[in-house]
Amino acid sequence: MSTVTRPFKSSAAAVWKVIADGWLYPGWVVGASRIRAVDDQWPQVGAKLHHSVGVWPFLIDDSTSVAAVQTGRSLELLARGWPMGEAKVLITVEEAGPDECRVSISEDAVRGPGKLVPKVLRDPVIDVRNNETLRRLELMAVGGAGRQR
């Protein structure tokens, strides 16, 4: 799996607030264009985000579901974006001091044409995308985005 880690200048709780608000997903996940619906149970196991990927007018409707969660600490997702395929994504959040944390995203293709791309070519593209995803997530956390739960 490709893994990127970034120190954040925000608390883990602030980061989790953003992650736990499924409606914010396209604000920080590179490639997600819009949210069509969020299951009421998000981010509990089995809950789904119904999203679109791509650039208008070339949008693909699909979904991302929660495979595992440790509230406030980690979220494992099965992200779908057919016809490209499916990816397993693991997001972890660790406290690193007052108003500081470390966030990691591990990701790899698990099904579909994306899995056919050699890992040596696939990982650098995923790394670039997830570095930007983490940058956006930090900005949203620092800015106070996310619902009160």
Side-chain angles (χ1 to χ4, degrees):
M1 290 184 87
S2 161
T3 301
V4 296
T5 302
R6 181 180 173 114
F8 279 29
K9 293 183 180 179
S10 71
S11 68
V15 172
W16 195 259
K17 267 180 39 178
V18 176
I19 292 170
D21 188 338
W23 289 100
L24 296 178
Y25 189 79
W28 59 277
V29 175
V30 173
S33 298
R34 64 181 176 207
I35 292 291
R36 300 182 329 278
V38 177
D39 288 358
D40 291 339
Q41 304 82 11
W42 182 266
Q44 299 306 311
V45 172
K48 288 184 179 181
L49 294 175
H50 305 272
H51 56 71
S52 302
V53 296
V55 179
W56 186 89
F58 306 105
L59 294 172
I60 299 167
D61 291 344
D62 220 320
S63 64
T64 289
S65 60
V66 178
V69 64
Q70 287 185 305
T71 302
R73 302 192 63 211
S74 67
L75 184 65
E76 184 178 317
L77 304 170
L78 179 62
R80 296 172 43 97
W82 287 92
M84 288 304 296
E86 300 176 14
K88 177 181 173 183
V89 180
L90 176 63
I91 303 167
T92 59
V93 182
E94 302 174 57
E95 288 288 354
D99 293 323
E100 293 179 3
C101 66
R102 291 176 53 88
V103 182
S104 297
I105 297 180
S106 298
E107 179 178 351
D108 202 4
V110 292
R111 277 189 262 321
K115 180 95 173 132
L116 299 176
V117 175
K119 195 160 177 47
V120 69
L121 299 175
R122 190 170 65 227
D123 281 355
V125 173
I126 294 171
D127 287 352
V128 168
R129 179 177 160 272
N130 284 339
N131 271 306
E132 175 61 16
T133 291
L134 288 180
R135 189 181 77 80
R136 293 177 184 189
L137 179 58
E138 180 181 18
L139 290 170
M140 291 181 81
V142 169
R147 289 188 192 166
Q148 296 293 330
R149 300 253 185 239

